[in-house]
């Protein structure tokens, strides 16, 4: 189900995420630069996957802060790696309240007959399998708590492909079906599952030069945090278009 981003109302309360634990994958990427700060400002303890040194360059003070956990997970498509990450988070904090599945990938530009099997498999691995594995790993803890929020990062082609992007579009469509299925399975057990559909994610500088080029990490961070907040407590099983004015 789609709801327009313009229908979102409400500001985050001070300390909205105090005493909560937010697990954010892909924390060294561009989108995370707008997601991590809003949860941190809300008082959450953070569990961040860090596959490379960019995480420490972007958030240099987190690695030594015992209030947070930076986990060197390099392959989240491996079930054992994911289970180890979640086990480490639960051992440190005893709970997981929010999962933000940011990890994903893009590869397009080929017609179906030109698309390699490797490209097809990689797109599904990055855009659907990792979110499935991460969700599967955190849900038992959320069920024990009788509470939890999962936010997946989809994309517009997951609703309607434009051509020459079959592998990417199909994998993002699979992510939306996963979102809907989980939202139905767990909605009466305290777990809410939603998705955000960004257009192009651009830097603040790019946005300043052309406000129609896409959306910034900070803008998306506010939408994601809203879905994880008390203000978004009645929203479940939706895919929120966050296109800005690009389309």
């Amino acid at each position: 189900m789609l709801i327009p981003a313009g229908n979102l109302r409400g500001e985050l309360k001070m300390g909205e995420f105090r005493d909560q634990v937010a697990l954010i994958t892909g924390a060294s990427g561009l989108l995370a630069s707008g997601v991590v700060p809003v949860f941190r400002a809300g008082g959450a303890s953070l569990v961040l996957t860090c596959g490379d040194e960019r995480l420490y360059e972007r958030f240099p003070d987190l690695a030594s802060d015992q209030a947070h956990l930076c986990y060197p997970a390099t392959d989240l498509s491996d079930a054992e790696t994911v289970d180890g990450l979640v086990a480490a988070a639960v051992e440190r904090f005893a709970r997981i309240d929010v999962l933000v599945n940011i990890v994903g990938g893009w590869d397009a530009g080929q017609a179906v007959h030109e698309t390699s099997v490797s490209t097809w498999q990689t797109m599904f691995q990055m855009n659907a399998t990792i979110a499935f594995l991460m969700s599967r790993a955190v849900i038992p803890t959320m069920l024990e708590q009788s509470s939890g929020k999962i936010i997946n990062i989809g994309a517009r082609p997951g609703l309607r492909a434009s051509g020459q992007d079959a592998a990417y579009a199909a994998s993002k469509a699979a992510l939306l079906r996963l979102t809907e299925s989980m939202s139905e399975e767990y909605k009466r057990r305290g777990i809410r599952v939603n998705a955000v559909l960004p257009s192009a994610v651009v830097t603040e500088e790019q946005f300043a030069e052309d406000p129609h080029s896409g959306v910034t990490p900070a803008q998306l961070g506010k939408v994601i945090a809203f879905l994880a907040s008390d203000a978004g407590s009645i929203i479940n099983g939706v895919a929120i278009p966050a296109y800005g004015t690009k389309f």
Side-chain angles (χ1 to χ4, degrees):
M1 179 187 296
L2 284 171
I3 68 172
N7 284 356
L8 299 181
R9 294 291 186 268
E11 296 294 329
L12 293 181
K13 297 180 293 187
M14 183 71 68
E16 175 74 46
F17 303 112
R18 185 175 294 119
D19 300 324
Q20 294 191 34
V21 177
L23 196 168
I24 302 170
T25 70
S28 61
L30 177 60
L31 176 52
S33 68
V35 176
V36 171
V38 73
F39 279 98
R40 192 178 187 187
S45 293
L46 303 174
V47 180
L48 308 177
T49 65
C50 45
D52 57 45
E53 293 301 317
R54 286 181 298 168
L55 178 67
Y56 304 112
E57 295 172 2
R58 198 179 296 279
F59 307 108
D61 55 333
L62 286 179
S64 59
D65 188 340
Q66 289 301 303
H68 310 291
L69 173 63
C70 294
Y71 193 87
T74 57
D75 184 8
L76 294 181
S77 66
D78 177 72
E80 290 187 3
T81 298
V82 169
D83 290 345
L85 160 63
V86 172
V90 173
E91 181 179 2
R92 171 76 71 86
F93 300 111
R95 61 186 300 112
I96 297 174
D97 299 281
V98 181
L99 169 64
V100 185
N101 282 311
I102 293 180
V103 168
W106 178 85
D107 192 342
Q110 307 89 31
V112 167
H113 76 282
E114 299 169 326
T115 301
S116 68
V117 173
S118 175
T119 295
W120 180 269
Q121 292 174 334
T122 298
M123 288 296 93
F124 271 82
Q125 176 177 289
M126 296 187 70
N127 295 323
T129 300
I130 289 176
F132 161 71
L133 291 175
M134 289 299 309
S135 299
R136 187 183 72 158
V138 304
I139 284 171
T141 297
M142 291 181 173
L143 288 174
E144 289 180 6
Q145 303 164 180
S146 297
S147 66
K149 285 84 68 173
I150 298 175
I151 298 104
N152 295 321
I153 307 302
R156 191 170 186 248
L159 299 174
R160 182 177 177 83
S162 59
Q164 295 189 316
D165 65 350
Y168 178 72
S171 66
K172 286 297 189 180
L175 178 65
L176 294 183
R177 302 295 81 79
L178 173 66
T179 300
E180 291 170 348
S181 293
M182 291 193 297
S183 72
E184 287 297 316
E185 291 171 8
Y186 303 110
K187 66 183 180 182
R188 298 187 186 277
R189 304 186 70 180
I191 301 175
R192 294 189 288 110
V193 188
N194 294 291
V196 175
L197 312 182
S199 59
V201 182
V202 299
T203 66
E204 295 288 346
E205 292 76 16
Q206 291 170 316
F207 186 80
E209 291 179 6
D210 180 5
H212 309 299
S213 60
V215 291
T216 68
Q219 291 171 327
L220 290 169
K222 292 178 181 178
V223 177
I224 292 167
F226 173 84
L227 289 174
S229 72
D230 288 342
S233 62
I234 61 172
I235 300 177
N236 185 55
V238 304
I240 297 178
Y243 305 152
T245 57
K246 183 173 177 61
F247 300 116

